[in-house]
Amino acid sequence: NCGRKSWASFWEMAAVEESSVDSTLILAVESGSPSSSSKDDLEDEGMSQEPRPRNTPEDISFEAAVNTIAFHPTRDIIAAGDVDGDVFVYAYSCMEAGNKELWSSGHHLKSCRDASFSCDGQKLFTVSKDKAIHILNIEEGKLLKRFSKAHSAAINKLLLIDENLFATGDDTGVLKVWDLRRDVAFLEMKNHDDYISDMLIDENKKLLLTTSGDGTMGVFNIKRRRLELLSEYQNGDLTSISLMKRGKKVACGSSEGTIYLFNWGGFGATSDRFAIRAESIDCMVPITENILCTGSMDGVIRAINILPNRVIGSVGQHPGEPIEQLAKSCNGQFLASCAHDQKVKFWDISSLSSIVVDDYRKRKKNKQLKSLSQKALGGAEDFFADLREETPMDQNEKSPEKESDSDESDSD
């Protein structure tokens, strides 16, 4: 009997172990082969993680405040220089997480203040507070040429004239024009009493116009290597300059929030002026022959029509952060901005080219800016509201206000 019981208990224990092994194998098989529903869930999750298209590229964040930005002339590439002297080049895209850093350079010892791509897009020029000019290869950021101590003071502005010539302006008002074929400055003049803030060149590459912190605009003939004239002094610093109206008008922004207009050829005195209800106009860029965008200390980017002078609305903003520079993409679809918030932002300005401001419309007294893009504060639901005709009732209720010396004029 004892023998039978021991054998019986032995076989019972063996049966229990076999059943546990079978259950373990079943669980292992089940965990290793997901069901059809779990497969569908994984596929849906994978599809949801695919990058989605956007209206504009995503913001690019930096570790320091960005002073300058520049778009490549033919490719979807943007360069940025910051207060630490670093230069970054990004490929941008309208897909989510589509922006990609291509390379960065730390060759400058102090703040990078301005940057510009060459006409063929093969080189990037940068100037700095360290008084140096750098020329970098666009593909890998290799330093091709360095002009150390190019100025005796910090360089503030850079302008590429053609494939061989470029101009620089410094904090003391010195203007230099350089020839890359000889690696020398063939023109050096000091006619401004304060920093050179901006520059432009005419279509014939003959007259170089400068704005300065001393409140004057300078006109230099680079072919004859001489100063033609300085304009009358204006209130505040002249901070920026743009050529408008098919080259017939020159617009200058000021630290007082006023745009001063000059007739081409009549550079001595202003032909018109226009206050835009902003603390300052620190930078501007032309969008069309009639419309330009400005950046101000209040962080708002305004679209402004020139003659008739109108603030059309807001393109975007860096809330509460002074805007350092604006740049327009090569295809004219995007405007980029940099400010003290250590970000480069992109704005869709493709709709601005279709705006036509009515010469005879009475101005409406609106304190709030119209939003001209989906990313501008307030949305874009009232895009064309500021441009439509007023009804007689509206004209009776609202009296025109004086914002410029000759707001309805359109003299050439």
Side-chain angles (χ1 to χ4, degrees):
N1 292 334
C2 293
R4 291 194 191 99
K5 289 182 179 179
S6 61
W7 280 108
S9 59
F10 171 79
W11 289 114
E12 288 175 358
M13 293 176 61
V16 170
E17 290 179 356
E18 184 178 0
S19 63
S20 62
V21 171
D22 293 339
S23 61
T24 303
L25 290 173
I26 293 172
L27 290 174
V29 172
E30 288 179 350
S31 62
S33 57
S35 63
S36 59
S37 60
S38 61
K39 287 183 179 179
D40 294 339
D41 294 340
L42 290 174
E43 290 178 359
D44 294 340
E45 184 178 354
M47 292 178 62
S48 64
Q49 291 178 352
E50 292 182 0
R52 294 177 295 180
R54 296 166 47 91
N55 292 328
T56 60
E58 293 179 334
D59 299 347
I60 304 176
S61 297
F62 296 85
E63 295 182 358
V66 176
N67 284 330
T68 179
I69 47 178
F71 278 105
H72 192 276
T74 59
R75 299 163 60 185
D76 291 342
I77 292 176
I78 189 169
D82 66 19
V83 295
D84 291 337
D86 296 323
V87 177
F88 300 86
V89 172
Y90 276 80
Y92 62 89
S93 169
C94 286
M95 301 299 292
E96 284 186 346
N99 298 334
K100 178 183 178 183
E101 181 181 335
L102 301 180
W103 54 264
S104 62
S105 168
H107 293 295
H108 281 301
L109 304 177
K110 295 182 180 180
S111 174
C112 178
R113 292 192 171 174
D114 206 3
S116 183
F117 285 97
S118 59
C119 299
D120 60 7
Q122 297 299 312
K123 301 174 183 177
L124 178 66
F125 289 66
T126 61
V127 295
S128 170
K129 187 179 178 180
D130 64 8
K131 309 173 187 178
I133 303 168
H134 288 174
I135 304 177
L136 305 170
N137 179 284
I138 188 57
E139 297 301 331
E140 52 195 24
K142 180 181 178 182
L143 182 62
L144 301 177
K145 189 172 293 186
R146 172 186 172 92
F147 297 87
S148 58
K149 298 182 180 179
H151 282 246
S152 59
I155 305 175
N156 191 60
K157 202 63 186 175
L158 165 72
L159 174 68
L160 299 191
I161 299 172
D162 58 27
E163 63 273 11
N164 297 313
L165 305 180
F166 68 95
T168 52
D170 69 23
D171 281 357
T172 62
V174 173
L175 169 71
K176 289 188 177 184
V177 181
W178 302 78
D179 191 336
L180 288 173
R181 292 165 295 192
R182 294 181 293 164
D183 290 344
V184 296
F186 67 87
L187 173 65
E188 179 177 353
M189 305 189 75
K190 187 183 186 312
N191 298 97
H192 290 295
D193 297 327
D194 208 335
Y195 68 97
I196 291 179
S197 57
D198 205 358
M199 298 183 285
L200 67 79
I201 191 77
D202 70 339
E203 291 184 354
N204 298 323
K205 314 294 185 183
K206 177 182 177 182
L207 294 182
L208 175 66
L209 276 58
T210 59
T211 51
S212 172
D214 63 11
T216 64
M217 179 180 70
V219 183
F220 297 86
N221 190 322
I222 63 173
K223 290 188 175 181
R224 296 186 178 182
R225 305 184 186 184
R226 72 185 187 189
L227 170 73
E228 294 290 343
L229 60 87
L230 288 177
S231 72
E232 295 178 346
Y233 287 91
Q234 312 301 328
N235 294 331
D237 302 5
L238 292 187
T239 59
S240 47
I241 187 169
S242 293
L243 197 58
M244 306 296 293
K245 297 287 185 178
R246 297 175 295 280
K248 296 179 181 179
K249 292 286 183 178
V250 178
C252 297
S254 76
S255 60
E256 302 295 317
T258 300
I259 294 178
Y260 295 96
L261 298 179
F262 296 83
N263 291 324
W264 186 266
F267 302 118
T270 59
S271 63
D272 203 355
R273 66 189 66 192
F274 176 41
I276 67 166
R277 290 200 192 102
E279 294 181 46
S280 65
I281 299 174
D282 296 321
C283 52
M284 64 169 56
V285 60
I287 306 301
T288 68
E289 294 295 337
N290 302 316
I291 297 174
L292 54 80
C293 285
T294 64
S296 303
M297 286 187 64
D298 58 10
V300 179
I301 304 170
R302 294 170 173 85
I304 297 173
N305 191 87
I306 299 299
L307 294 175
N309 300 326
R310 297 280 190 275
V311 177
I312 301 172
S314 170
V315 171
Q317 64 287 313
H318 294 253
E321 301 290 345
I323 296 174
E324 287 289 340
Q325 202 170 70
L326 302 173
K328 185 177 70 169
S329 64
C330 58
N331 61 3
Q333 182 180 0
F334 300 123
L335 181 75
S337 59
C338 60
H340 292 186
D341 57 5
Q342 303 178 10
K343 291 182 179 179
V344 171
K345 296 186 176 184
F346 297 85
W347 315 95
D348 186 357
I349 56 170
S350 56
S351 299
L352 293 183
S353 59
S354 62
I355 294 179
V356 177
V357 176
D358 185 0
D359 291 16
Y360 305 102
R361 181 188 65 82
K362 293 291 184 180
R363 188 190 304 106
K364 295 192 295 183
K365 190 175 182 180
N366 284 334
K367 293 184 179 180
Q368 185 174 1
L369 287 174
K370 302 299 179 185
S371 300
L372 303 182
S373 69
Q374 293 181 355
K375 292 168 62 177
L377 292 179
E381 57 272 3
D382 205 11
F383 191 177
F384 293 102
D386 195 39
L387 307 180
R388 60 173 177 252
E389 289 283 340
E390 282 187 330
T391 62
M393 183 179 297
D394 291 332
Q395 295 179 1
N396 292 333
E397 290 177 354
K398 299 178 182 179
S399 59
E401 61 182 301
K402 189 74 173 175
E403 282 187 5
S404 67
D405 291 351
S406 58
D407 186 66
E408 298 297 336
S409 65
D410 196 6
S411 59
D412 291 332

